[in-house]
Amino acid sequence: RAPAQPACGVVGGAAMSGVGSIPGLHNGNPVVFMDISIGGHNAGRIKMELFHDTVPKTVENFRQLCTGEYRKGGKPLGYKGCGFHRVIKGFMAQGGDILRGDGTGCTSIYGDRFDDEDLSLKHTGPGLLSMANSGPNTNGCQFFISCDACDWLDGKHVIFGKVIDGMLTLRKIEAVTVGANSKPKLPILISQCGEM
């Protein structure tokens, strides 16, 4: 008789859990949330663990933009009120352009852009939080959440977190009808965000 398999895999001696067999919580990593509205109606909350133990610089950028701690010219700059400007069903939902809202803006707490920190984690399934970029070492404020595995992005985008609660909300975002350039026909906004 074969031994019972553990509910979570073990890789390299580290307990693994959750989306894509990426290290699970209980390691001091921060958890942030985003409350989402679609067409002016509450669609739910997405809670995400940020992988500070793997990519601390990338995580700190995202965390501060979630909490509003980062200030430019004395004013908080962050994701509250920002939208998801690109949604591709079965692939990903992209947002976080706090400058222009259309995918052309780029800024970070470190300046306009910052370098890729670690490209070793893989886009193995839905619910992974990854940096959007325009090529190597061009990270800023934009991010995407995977809706499925997207291995062609491996080694090109920094994965820095995962959804730990709120996959239904992600599926609601994914289901919004889109037009040209995969722009949602209803506004999908981050109505509130912060750290848990």
Side-chain angles (χ1 to χ4, degrees):
R1 175 176 156 155
Q5 294 295 315
C8 300
V10 174
V11 176
M16 308 295 269
S17 68
V19 177
S21 293
I22 288 180
L25 205 49
H26 312 300
N27 51 13
N29 282 340
V31 174
V32 296
F33 72 91
M34 291 181 171
D35 291 334
I36 305 297
S37 70
I38 298 175
H41 299 282
N42 178 27
R45 173 172 282 187
I46 299 174
K47 291 182 191 173
M48 297 159 281
E49 175 191 355
L50 304 181
F51 302 147
H52 186 270
D53 53 344
T54 306
V55 284
K57 186 173 183 177
T58 306
V59 162
E60 189 57 17
N61 179 68
F62 188 81
R63 191 193 67 76
Q64 284 196 33
L65 294 175
C66 279
T67 63
E69 288 173 53
Y70 178 65
R71 296 181 181 273
K72 198 167 191 176
K75 297 175 86 173
L77 189 61
Y79 294 132
K80 184 176 178 179
C82 186
F84 284 82
H85 61 271
R86 186 170 173 235
V87 177
I88 302 174
K89 189 171 182 61
F91 175 26
M92 60 89 207
Q94 181 176 341
D97 183 350
I98 59 180
L99 294 182
R100 298 190 184 107
D102 62 3
T104 62
C106 188
T107 190
S108 79
I109 67 170
Y110 309 113
D112 287 343
R113 305 176 193 292
F114 65 98
D115 288 349
D116 296 327
E117 193 170 7
D118 183 341
L119 296 167
S120 65
L121 296 178
K122 308 297 184 200
H123 297 83
T124 55
L128 295 173
L129 186 57
S130 191
M131 291 301 293
N133 63 41
S134 56
N137 301 314
T138 58
N139 299 293
C141 50
Q142 293 187 52
F143 63 91
F144 65 91
I145 305 173
S146 65
C147 296
D148 205 341
C150 37
D151 59 353
W152 64 92
L153 299 179
D154 291 350
K156 297 176 184 171
H157 295 266
V158 176
I159 296 172
F160 64 97
K162 69 177 179 182
V163 174
I164 57 173
D165 189 31
M167 283 301 292
L168 178 60
T169 302
L170 176 62
R171 296 304 183 199
K172 289 177 185 176
I173 293 170
E174 185 185 18
V176 172
T177 302
V178 298
N181 299 317
S182 303
K183 180 180 178 181
K185 292 194 172 187
L186 292 172
I188 304 170
L189 298 178
I190 300 166
S191 57
Q192 187 60 266
C193 52
E195 186 171 2
M196 304 296 285

